[in-house]
Amino acid sequence: MRAELADVAPAMATPAQRERAGVDAASSGIRFDDVTVAYNDVVVLDSLSLTVKPGEIVALIGPSGSGKTTALRAVAGFVRPLRGTISIGTRDVTNVAPHARNIGMVVQNYALFPHMRAEENVAFGLRARGAPADVIRERVPECLRMVGMASYAKRFPRELSGGQQQRVAIARALAIRPQVLLLDEPLSALDAQIRRSMLDELARLHRDLPSLTVLYVTHDQTEALTLADHIGIMRDGKLVAFGDAQSLYRYPPNRFSAEFLGRANLLPVREVATTTAGMARVRFGADALIARNHHGLPDGGECLLCVRPHDLRLSPCDSIGNVLGGVVKSVQWQGDMQNVELDVAGHALRLTCAPMHAPPAPGAPLAIHFSASEATLIPEHTLRG
């Protein structure tokens, strides 16, 4: 626990206070330079190079065993790289002890002390490093207010819900005023409704603390898309994609990224012929289609056309549009949306739309439309899922 509640820079202080403390904005970024981590000669993090800018939220996502948690633990100092360096701000912390890295950490199982009240848990890190009593008296209620837990200060963890316990854990991490906040699957133990509420709280918290740098590890793509400025996608210990959330979602650089970050329809196409304004003509079987060639794929090659389920429509598009014919395989109603799965020339396509009064029956023919601007081409040969 002490390693998770390290000495911190005054991220919640005023600019004047930070200046007096000798802290500048550049001191809170994170940088991985060719970092490799191995357990018993098995490489679990392979040559990771990544920069998290000061004040940014970066989410690392990927399946189990992809290396995302190892990357976070390397920043915390709980694992030592086989090679490479890790920096926080301008300081190389590769060989610095965890308690001296100026980080706060929140894990998925809360890790609160059961015998301590909420306010005592929040104060723990401050007491451990000898903070004056007046600082503790001021900072503990301040942090509890920030996470909406001021009225629960006297309660023990057993008297709090899972979401409330996680708020206390976040307040404890913030009380020490970290340069960097590490979040390791912080919402995975919460039910769906509480998770949505906590996502809103974390977004609000970062707006209140814009200088705080956050590295967020999750397997949940919704959390990453909701919170992160940039997203890194991990697979087999490697970083296979990195970019701002919207660009990575709209223009995934490879098949694995398209399928992992959001649902994606992927069709094999050929005969790329670039047109104006970054568009390209391709063929899917006998059908001619137009899509964005955002990655500048060369003419004449094979690639994949990626279009998201919510970008497929049952009526023609107003702009430059594409149309494909398919056969309905299934229709699934989910309250405020309907999912339609189709067979299009032997390939499964999924369409998400508002509930239909008379949905098509399985086996019925159906024409689907999508705008050229809402489809993008990605390499066929890179990282097949």
Side-chain angles (χ1 to χ4, degrees), residues 249-295:
Y249 182 81
R250 297 303 307 179
Y251 309 114
N254 50 60
R255 182 181 193 130
F256 182 78
S257 301
E259 294 178 326
F260 195 86
L261 186 63
R263 299 169 65 190
N265 292 305
L266 299 173
L267 295 175
V269 294
R270 59 185 175 82
E271 297 182 9
V272 176
T274 303
T275 63
T276 58
M279 308 300 286
R281 297 182 182 276
V282 296
R283 299 195 70 82
F284 171 65
D287 294 297
L289 304 172
I290 301 177
R292 289 191 180 276
N293 190 8
H294 180 80
H295 299 298

Side-chain angles (χ1 to χ4, degrees), residues 185-252:
E185 302 274 11
L187 309 183
S188 62
L190 306 177
D191 63 44
Q193 185 173 357
I194 296 175
R195 189 181 301 123
R196 286 192 294 270
S197 175
M198 284 298 298
L199 278 174
D200 292 340
E201 287 298 316
L202 286 171
R204 179 196 59 77
L205 191 64
H206 195 252
R207 289 194 297 271
D208 292 342
L209 301 172
S211 65
L212 183 64
T213 302
V214 180
L215 184 61
Y216 191 108
V217 163
T218 180
H219 66 277
D220 190 304
Q221 56 184 271
T222 301
E223 294 178 17
L225 289 169
T226 300
L227 287 176
D229 300 301
H230 288 83
I231 296 174
I233 301 176
M234 306 287 295
R235 185 190 191 195
D236 298 332
K238 291 181 176 292
L239 183 71
V240 299
F242 183 79
D244 70 88
Q246 290 196 28
S247 294
L248 201 58
Y249 182 81
R250 297 303 307 179
Y251 309 114

Side-chain angles (χ1 to χ4, degrees), residues 352-384:
T352 300
C353 61
M356 294 174 277
H357 294 295
L366 194 66
I368 55 173
H369 305 261
F370 58 96
S371 169
S373 63
E374 293 170 342
T376 190
L377 302 178
I378 61 176
E380 162 65 7
H381 57 81
T382 307
L383 289 171
R384 300 187 182 205

Side-chain angles (χ1 to χ4, degrees), residues 9-10 13-24:
T14 66
Q17 289 170 327
R18 288 198 297 271
E19 184 178 359
R20 286 196 297 271
V23 177
D24 56 55

Side-chain angles (χ1 to χ4, degrees), residues 149-194:
M149 292 296 291
S151 59
Y152 298 87
K154 301 295 183 182
R155 294 196 184 184
F156 289 98
R158 63 178 179 273
E159 299 172 322
L160 302 172
S161 69
Q164 290 170 335
Q165 290 184 56
Q166 195 61 296
R167 288 169 187 260
V168 173
I170 293 169
R172 181 181 60 189
L174 293 175
I176 55 174
R177 294 185 173 172
Q179 293 171 272
V180 168
L181 180 62
L182 306 178
L183 301 175
D184 186 10
E185 302 274 11
L187 309 183
S188 62
L190 306 177
D191 63 44
Q193 185 173 357
I194 296 175

